[in-house]
Amino acid sequence: MLSAAIRGSLRRSTTAAVRPSLRTTATRSYASSAHQSSSATPWAIGSLLVFGPLLFHLTSPPPKTKKHVEAAVQQPQQPTQQAQPETAAAVPAKKKVQKPYVLIGAGTASFAAAQAIKEKEPLANVIIIGDEAYAPYMRPPLSKEIWFSDDENVANTLRFKDWQGTERSVFYQDDSQYEIIEDASGSDVESEKIKLLLNKRVSKLNVEDHTVTLADGSILFYNKVLLATGGSPKQLPAQPTSDKITTFRTIADLKNLDKIVQSGKRIAVVGGGFLGSELAVALANRAANKKDIEITQIFPEEGNMANVFPSYLTKWTTSRVRKLGVDVKTNSVIDSLQLKDDKVSVSLNAGAQELQVDHVVVAIGIEPRVDLARDAGLEIDEQRAGVMVNAELEARKDVYVAGDMVSFHDIQLGRRRIEHHDHAVLSGRHAGLNMVEAARVKPYRHQSMFWSDLGPEVGYEAVGLIDSQLSTVSVWAKSTEQDTPASAPQEPHRHQGTTPVPEAAAPTKAAQPLASEKFGKGLVFYVRDRKIVGLVLFNVFGKVQEARDIVDAGLTSDKIDGLLKKFDLHGDDH
């Protein structure tokens, strides 16, 4: 009852409050105080003035510009055919080039790695950076076959005939097969070819940022990088800088020496190892047709290859080199080289002897180029002067090393560093495969070989550890005219990667066969702790794999007699 009374009271109160307001509104006058009228016309005019603009705005159609915007927004929903002419005229988006595999060093190891990467990933972005002006090339012919060529322009053409008469180029492939780029910006050029950046030196490797900095300051970002910078030729103590002294290693050195030999001079070759002995014999062959050229070879050891051959074989080799026209000076230590009266004065054995020559060729080995690796924080094998790697040839994540400068673990022979062509080819190829096939990385197990020729008559191939300080077991046999480098079948490891130039040619004639020599052909087994660790095949060809198998098997020296049948040493001995 009480609530009903309250509701009734509230309704009456609300009604009373509203009605006076309505009444007031009905009687309000819109005339001024000076003029009043009871007519409704002024009210209508006033209402029109107040509410007219609002009504016009509310009832007007949307502005035309709004329709234009809406149409523009909806334009992509139009049928595809209307947009086709515009799409056809548009420039296609540039394909993004992948981050490159950067191979530092334009030698054999880098070329082999590049080929391996391209075999597995044909569209891979691969860049070889070299500080020479030449594409990757073979070094062995520079001290061997080239000097036996009949072509007087061979140092410029760089085409030679191997001992079997097949014409070849020192270059692995023609420049046209590369994408030659001028600077680091070329790393973004889209190409299916191997890219080649020449005459550029790498000054810094940053393994954390994955960058390579060139000497000109430009930077390349890499996916993975290979260090294959090889080595620099060693110099004599206090060796003066002069155009009359050549440290022999490159094509530029070959061209320079070729000009000197042709001019008819007295030339001294310093070094009694592989390179020095090969060069001395090669230059003597060139000099044979020029009466005014004399070749002298100087070294401190007792004979040629004294650091690798047993003493008796060293002496025999030296006598052979002398027969080929070289004036060999053994047990001769060079005190100094001095420039005097347009000559080079060579002081020997504490001044006991002095030679006057027109030119000196220094061929005493190489120093591995490890400064870039050292500055990058990679581990250096100070004993062997190489860059330390694991079994997969990796020095750090995404950083691989191959060729002359790598210190690797040989499963049979322990840690080694090797400076030979076959090792550069196979270690480069193995590193390239491991770089591109991350899921199938394999350890490097190849037992590399090397070879050296003293002209077309005497050649030897070797596998494993070859050191004159080791014990040796030798087996010799009579040789025939077929037991020479010139008569032997072509062996792929000697010119791996090169393509013969089509031309029929006769093999190089062996001028002085060794049929009457005591050491015509034979085998030298090198033994350490009763285990066979190395093998030299002296004028025995086509048996490198058999030698590899013996070293890899870790056989002991008491098995040598049974191993001889593998080499058929006396097969042609009648």
Side-chain angles (χ1 to χ4, degrees):
M1 294 289 292
L2 180 60
S3 61
I6 292 173
R7 286 196 298 270
S9 174
L10 287 173
R11 280 196 298 271
R12 287 193 299 270
S13 173
T14 303
T15 303
V18 170
R19 284 177 181 172
S21 173
L22 291 174
R23 285 197 299 269
T24 304
T25 302
T27 60
R28 181 178 292 178
S29 174
Y30 285 89
S32 63
S33 56
H35 180 75
Q36 292 185 4
S37 175
S38 59
S39 174
T41 302
W43 181 89
I45 294 172
S47 298
L48 183 62
L49 292 173
V50 173
F51 295 106
L54 178 61
L55 290 171
F56 176 79
H57 178 73
L58 293 174
T59 58
S60 295
K64 292 182 179 181
T65 54
K66 187 172 181 181
K67 284 184 179 179
H68 176 74
V69 171
E70 287 174 354
V73 171
Q74 294 178 4
Q75 190 173 354
Q77 298 178 4
Q78 297 299 318
T80 314
Q81 300 89 290
Q82 297 178 7
Q84 279 179 352
E86 236 178 284
T87 306
V91 178
K94 186 177 180 181
K95 185 179 177 181
K96 186 176 180 181
V97 179
Q98 66 172 226
K99 198 180 294 184
Y101 294 92
V102 175
L103 315 179
I104 304 175
T108 296
S110 282
F111 179 76
Q115 281 195 316
I117 293 170
K118 282 292 192 178
E119 284 175 16
K120 296 297 181 181
E121 193 177 320
L123 298 181
N125 186 7
V126 181
I127 302 176
I128 296 176
I129 304 175
D131 56 7
E132 290 187 55
Y134 301 99
Y137 61 89
M138 286 185 67
R139 295 192 192 277
L142 304 187
S143 59
K144 298 181 179 70
E145 295 102 321
I146 279 183
W147 295 98
F148 290 80
S149 174
D150 295 329
D151 180 8
E152 293 188 356
N153 198 36
V154 66
N156 294 317
T157 66
L158 297 172
R159 292 182 180 274
F160 65 96
K161 292 179 181 176
D162 62 24
W163 301 134
Q164 288 73 31
T166 303
E167 186 170 332
R168 299 179 180 274
S169 169
V170 300
F171 296 104
Y172 290 109
Q173 62 183 32
D174 189 75
D175 284 0
S176 63
Q177 295 178 272
Y178 296 100
E179 183 74 38
I180 298 179
I181 59 179
E182 300 298 325
D183 51 42
S185 64
S187 64
D188 294 329
V189 173
E190 186 178 347
S191 177
E192 294 184 9
K193 298 179 180 179
I194 297 169
K195 295 176 184 175
L196 200 55
L197 182 56
L198 300 175
N199 288 314
K200 297 291 183 182
R201 184 178 63 84
V202 175
S203 60
K204 183 179 180 182
L205 169 67
N206 189 317
V207 298
E208 282 78 21
D209 295 343
H210 278 52
T211 60
V212 166
T213 303
L214 304 181
D216 61 11
S218 55
I219 296 176
L220 289 86
F221 287 84
Y222 66 79
N223 173 14
K224 294 181 182 179
V225 67
L226 174 72
L227 289 177
T229 49
S232 300
K234 289 180 180 178
Q235 296 191 354
L236 295 168
Q239 177 177 313
T241 301
S242 170
D243 59 1
K244 296 184 179 299
I245 302 173
T246 299
T247 49
F248 192 89
R249 182 162 175 81
T250 67
I251 285 178
D253 298 331
L254 168 74
K255 290 177 177 289
N256 181 47
L257 190 56
D258 178 69
K259 294 175 184 177
I260 294 164
V261 176
Q262 287 183 346
S263 64
K265 304 288 184 178
R266 186 177 186 185
I267 299 170
V269 178
V270 180
F274 297 114
L275 180 59
S277 299
E278 289 172 359
L279 266 178
V281 170
L283 295 179
N285 178 76
R286 175 73 65 84
N289 299 321
K290 300 178 184 292
K291 300 297 183 182
D292 54 350
I293 297 180
E294 297 179 31
I295 307 299
T296 301
Q297 185 182 13
I298 306 168
F299 49 82
E301 297 84 20
E302 67 173 352
N304 294 75
M305 269 75 78
N307 292 326
V308 291
F309 286 169
S311 180
Y312 69 88
L313 191 54
T314 289
K315 292 175 181 176
W316 180 91
T317 304
T318 300
S319 68
R320 180 68 185 174
V321 172
R322 285 176 172 148
K323 285 181 181 179
L324 295 174
V326 180
D327 177 17
V328 183
K329 295 190 177 298
T330 63
N331 301 303
S332 297
V333 177
I334 295 179
D335 306 318
S336 66
L337 300 178
Q338 295 183 345
L339 304 176
K340 293 181 180 179
D341 302 325
D342 203 33
K343 301 281 186 181
V344 181
S345 177
V346 184
S347 176
L348 302 175
N349 300 328
Q353 186 178 5
E354 187 170 306
L355 299 178
Q356 298 293 323
V357 298
D358 297 289
H359 199 86
V360 174
V361 183
V362 180
I364 56 176
I366 66 168
E367 291 283 357
R369 298 167 66 181
V370 298
D371 289 345
L372 185 65
R374 192 191 303 275
D375 293 343
L378 303 183
E379 186 178 0
I380 306 299
D381 179 356
E382 300 296 350
Q383 180 183 347
R384 299 168 189 83
V387 180
M388 297 274 282
V389 295
N390 60 18
E392 291 74 31
L393 302 181
E394 193 175 25
R396 191 80 67 82
K397 180 175 172 54
D398 298 335
V399 180
Y400 291 80
V401 188
D404 296 342
M405 60 178 295
V406 62
S407 172
F408 68 100
H409 179 69
D410 184 312
I411 295 174
Q412 280 295 335
L413 306 177
R415 186 154 290 276
R416 304 176 68 192
R417 187 181 67 79
I418 302 174
E419 297 175 6
H420 296 297
H421 176 80
D422 179 73
H423 169 66
V425 173
L426 275 299
S427 66
R429 178 173 178 78
H430 195 90
L433 291 174
N434 281 351
M435 291 169 77
V436 77
E437 294 186 302
R440 300 179 60 191
V441 172
K442 297 179 180 178
Y444 181 61
R445 298 179 183 273
H446 178 69
Q447 193 59 249
S448 66
M449 61 81 64
F450 68 88
W451 80 94
S452 184
D453 300 323
L454 299 179
E457 299 89 24
V458 178
Y460 35 86
E461 300 176 337
V463 173
L465 293 180
I466 310 300
D467 189 330
S468 60
Q469 300 300 312
L470 295 172
S471 300
T472 60
V473 176
S474 303
V475 182
W476 295 93
K478 262 188 177 180
S479 66
T480 70
E481 290 187 358
Q482 302 305 309
D483 297 318
T484 65
S487 301
Q490 288 191 349
E491 297 184 277
H493 54 255
R494 286 182 170 244
H495 300 102
Q496 293 178 84
T498 61
T499 303
V501 179
E503 179 180 317
T508 305
K509 180 69 175 174
Q512 300 182 42
L514 305 181
S516 61
E517 296 281 356
K518 181 178 180 181
F519 302 115
K521 67 176 181 180
L523 308 172
V524 182
F525 294 84
Y526 289 74
V527 179
R528 182 178 65 184
D529 298 330
R530 297 186 64 248
K531 187 169 76 172
I532 300 170
V533 295
L535 189 56
V536 166
L537 313 176
F538 196 94
N539 273 354
V540 175
F541 304 98
K543 298 293 184 179
V544 167
Q545 190 54 52
E546 285 82 351
R548 280 195 180 110
D549 293 342
I550 290 171
V551 174
D552 282 338
L555 300 176
T556 53
S557 57
D558 59 337
K559 303 290 194 302
I560 289 177
D561 285 344
L563 297 172
L564 296 180
K565 60 184 178 182
K566 291 178 176 289
F567 300 94
D568 193 26
L569 200 58
H570 302 281
D572 295 324
D573 189 6
H574 303 293

